[in-house]
Amino acid sequence: MKDYITIIGGGLAGCEAAYQIAKAGIKVKLYEMKPIKFSEAHSNKNLAEIVCSNSLKSNLLTNACGLLKEELRRLDSLLIKIADETKVPAGQALAVDREKFSKRVTEEINKNPLIEVIHKEIENVDCDNEIDSKNGIVIIATGPLTSEKLAKEIGKIAGEDKLYFYDAAAPIISKDSINFDIAFYGNRYEQEKKKDETTEEWMERQNNQEKSYINLPMNKEEYENFWKALVEAEVVTLHEFEKREIFEGCMPIEVMGKRGIDTLRYGPLKPVGFDDLRTGRRPYAIVQLRQDNSEGTIYNMVGFQTNLKFGEQKRVFSMIPGLENAEFEKFGVMHRNTYINSTKLLDNTFNLKSNNNIYFAGQITGVEGYVESIASGMVAALNAISVFRDEGKKQEKNKIIFSEYTVIGALAKYISTENEKFQPMNANFGILPELEGKKIRDKRERYMKLSERSLEYLK
């Protein structure tokens, strides 16, 4: 085995991985194509460039991303440490001076004698004697804007005929926040009342329905009020290169709605095959939520891929009957994003199942967000270190697996658990196992208990 570990990509995940590996006394070759070549969204020559918002979200332990940052602090994350050092006033959030942040990360990486930064575009994971996944460990952390040539090579490595080239994700909602005085379980056509059924028999059958879908019926007035708010809501401005790729493969619900007041009723909100349990009649429109994790604690909004601003999503989608108090664990997003089908390809150490020497890290794995990318780089690096020290003999006992009770572990489990409807996921309390014992209704108290449990498991 080679006497160093290769990392492709000098973003947040790649830099965190490089630091952790070097801290373990192992040499690193870190490949970054900037400033030789820039993607459409990058402009800073430094490593760990923050492209979009400068916010790393909340610092509070009653917020899942705040908890994730605290987990990383306790694990000596270089990038979280530098984020704390370069922070700017942002209330309860951790926001950074993006120029100072990238500059500081670059300085720390460059001054480490065990890390060699090579500015070169990589087009093949086995392109020369340096990068050789047959005889050395490689961490691929090329981000959501992976170059076209390398993306094709990754597809070959992963054994997939294509990658997901854009992120068109619908909002995800905590099941506990759904109003079941209105909502009901059931699948299309299986939920309609049969002619020979009594009302009692019909109701009993609904109570025994499979829990994979939750349905939210709307009457005419409710639907039309929702439609009006939807088509008038503010949207996020996309880059031109994103518009070309995204709209060819996906239609945002607000764009669909603008085609006519009844368009949604013949599309994702069609009421055919359902009866409203409150009236016994077919509703005017219906919104379906589909189970999103094996525990059934979070559900996504079927057909609600959207480009609305996050605040607008909260306002407009909360108008849907049954979602008036909805807790959005993840808002819908639409942007250029290359990611692999991790649920089939990776284990919960971010290791490629078909090649023990290859790890993936960052948003290419389907974790979404700055801090989440840093966490994936940490997990991939710690496991790469373990394999390296064991001379490549990948033994189950040598895997470093974080508990699912931590956000780090819950994210790793989510992206590695088979899911036919897989979409990128950020840190949220919905992916953590529920608290045992009496249910805590107060949200802040419940979240603090989850955080305390997580940090105890992290020990």
Side-chain angles (χ1 to χ4, degrees):
M1 178 173 283
K2 291 187 177 295
D3 65 350
Y4 57 85
I5 292 176
T6 300
I7 299 173
I8 305 174
L12 300 174
C15 288
E16 184 65 49
Y19 170 76
Q20 296 297 332
I21 293 166
K23 189 174 73 169
I26 300 168
K27 290 189 291 185
V28 178
K29 287 193 176 185
L30 175 61
Y31 288 85
E32 168 55 50
M33 71 178 185
K34 295 189 310 178
I36 307 300
K37 181 179 179 180
F38 288 85
S39 75
E40 300 99 324
H42 291 89
S43 59
N44 188 322
K45 67 179 181 180
N46 288 322
L47 301 171
E49 179 181 357
I50 292 179
V51 174
C52 299
S53 167
N54 70 326
S55 174
L56 275 67
K57 300 182 183 177
S58 176
N59 248 335
L60 299 176
L61 287 180
T62 50
N63 179 283
C65 197
L67 171 58
L68 179 58
K69 283 192 281 292
E70 184 58 26
E71 292 176 359
L72 289 166
R73 286 188 185 99
R74 297 188 183 198
L75 293 167
D76 185 34
S77 163
L78 172 68
L79 273 73
I80 297 300
K81 178 183 177 182
I82 292 176
D84 287 333
E85 292 173 358
T86 59
K87 67 182 178 182
V88 296
Q92 297 170 337
L94 174 59
V96 301
D97 179 317
R98 68 180 78 213
E99 297 294 325
K100 289 181 180 178
F101 174 81
S102 296
K103 184 180 178 182
R104 282 282 294 112
V105 173
T106 304
E107 290 170 350
E108 288 296 319
I109 294 297
N110 283 337
K111 77 179 186 181
N112 193 309
L114 291 175
I115 302 174
E116 179 186 2
V117 180
I118 304 166
H119 295 285
K120 176 180 178 182
E121 181 184 5
I122 299 301
E123 299 178 1
N124 192 319
V125 176
D126 293 309
C127 63
D128 52 41
N129 291 327
E130 291 181 297
I131 302 177
D132 179 4
S133 62
K134 296 181 180 66
N135 300 297
I137 298 171
V138 178
I139 298 176
I140 301 172
T142 49
L145 294 172
T146 298
S147 65
E148 185 177 351
K149 290 180 180 178
L150 183 56
K152 288 180 180 178
E153 288 302 311
I154 290 171
K156 292 177 184 177
I157 294 166
E160 299 279 298
D161 59 351
K162 65 175 182 176
L163 304 181
Y164 296 85
F165 289 111
Y166 58 87
D167 187 352
I172 291 178
I173 294 167
S174 165
K175 188 191 76 173
D176 285 344
S177 68
I178 299 168
N179 179 3
F180 278 92
D181 289 337
I182 296 171
F184 57 88
Y185 292 105
N187 299 325
R188 195 178 298 277
Y189 301 112
E190 295 177 12
Q191 194 275 332
E192 284 183 310
K193 187 174 182 293
K194 298 175 182 178
K195 290 181 180 179
D196 58 347
E197 271 186 316
T198 66
T199 300
E200 290 75 18
E201 289 172 336
W202 174 56
M203 293 290 287
E204 183 180 357
R205 183 162 61 85
Q206 302 324 305
N207 291 332
N208 293 327
Q209 278 278 355
E210 182 184 338
K211 307 297 186 189
S212 56
Y213 283 93
I214 294 172
N215 305 287
L216 306 166
M218 306 171 81
N219 62 32
K220 187 174 188 291
E221 182 182 4
E222 291 166 339
Y223 171 79
E224 290 182 350
N225 288 338
F226 163 75
W227 174 84
K228 186 175 187 296
L230 176 69
V231 298
E232 293 176 354
E234 291 186 77
V235 299
V236 177
T237 302
L238 296 173
H239 295 96
E240 284 302 317
F241 71 87
E242 291 180 307
K243 291 177 184 176
R244 290 196 306 271
E245 297 194 24
I246 289 170
F247 291 113
E248 288 176 4
C250 191
M251 181 65 65
I253 190 165
E254 63 272 12
V255 174
M256 194 183 305
K258 289 176 182 178
R259 292 183 169 180
I261 192 169
D262 287 322
T263 302
L264 298 178
R265 294 182 59 243
Y266 288 92
L269 274 68
K270 66 181 179 182
V272 177
F274 290 98
D275 286 334
D276 187 338
L277 294 186
R278 296 169 299 172
T279 65
R281 297 189 299 272
R282 176 177 291 179
Y284 191 75
I286 200 160
V287 173
Q288 284 198 289
L289 309 179
R290 181 174 52 232
Q291 185 174 326
D292 200 81
N293 65 348
S294 57
E295 294 79 11
T297 56
I298 53 176
Y299 280 72
N300 71 68
M301 302 180 71
V302 178
F304 271 67
Q305 58 271 8
T306 179
N307 201 39
L308 295 184
K309 292 182 176 180
F310 288 178
E312 292 287 75
Q313 291 184 45
K314 172 73 173 174
R315 178 181 69 85
V316 175
F317 298 157
S318 294
M319 294 175 66
I320 297 170
L323 299 185
E324 54 272 9
N325 297 310
E327 294 174 13
F328 289 83
E329 301 291 5
K330 179 181 186 295
F331 287 109
V333 290
M334 294 191 70
H335 55 79
R336 169 73 156 79
N337 191 3
T338 300
Y339 62 99
I340 63 174
N341 189 359
S342 295
T343 66
K344 291 183 178 179
L345 300 171
L346 304 183
D347 66 16
N348 56 357
T349 68
F350 294 87
N351 187 206
L352 186 64
K353 293 176 183 177
S354 62
N355 187 329
N356 289 338
N357 285 345
I358 296 179
Y359 290 82
F360 283 85
Q363 291 193 89
I364 197 168
T365 68
V367 298
E368 185 167 76
Y370 300 146
V371 184
E372 293 84 346
S373 292
I374 294 168
S376 69
M378 169 85 73
V379 177
L382 294 179
N383 280 280
I385 291 165
S386 179
V387 174
F388 184 91
R389 286 175 169 168
D390 198 38
E391 297 183 348
K393 297 174 183 176
K394 185 71 172 176
Q395 302 293 329
E396 191 73 26
K397 64 181 180 180
N398 293 329
K399 289 184 179 181
I400 298 173
I401 299 173
F402 285 81
S403 167
E404 65 178 320
Y405 292 104
T406 66
V407 182
I408 294 175
L411 278 169
K413 179 183 177 183
Y414 184 88
I415 66 100
S416 61
T417 301
E418 195 148 334
N419 181 351
E420 292 299 324
K421 302 294 182 180
F422 177 60
Q423 63 185 42
M425 179 59 69
N426 57 350
N428 66 83
F429 285 116
I431 61 174
L432 293 174
E434 294 179 333
L435 293 166
E436 296 179 357
K438 187 178 179 181
K439 193 169 187 178
I440 301 173
R441 288 291 178 187
D442 183 81
K443 184 166 66 174
R444 289 176 61 84
E445 183 184 353
R446 184 169 77 249
Y447 289 169
M448 183 55 73
K449 290 289 185 185
L450 287 167
S451 292
E452 290 170 354
R453 182 183 70 179
S454 170
L455 296 175
E456 190 62 33
Y457 270 91
L458 193 69
K459 292 178 181 178

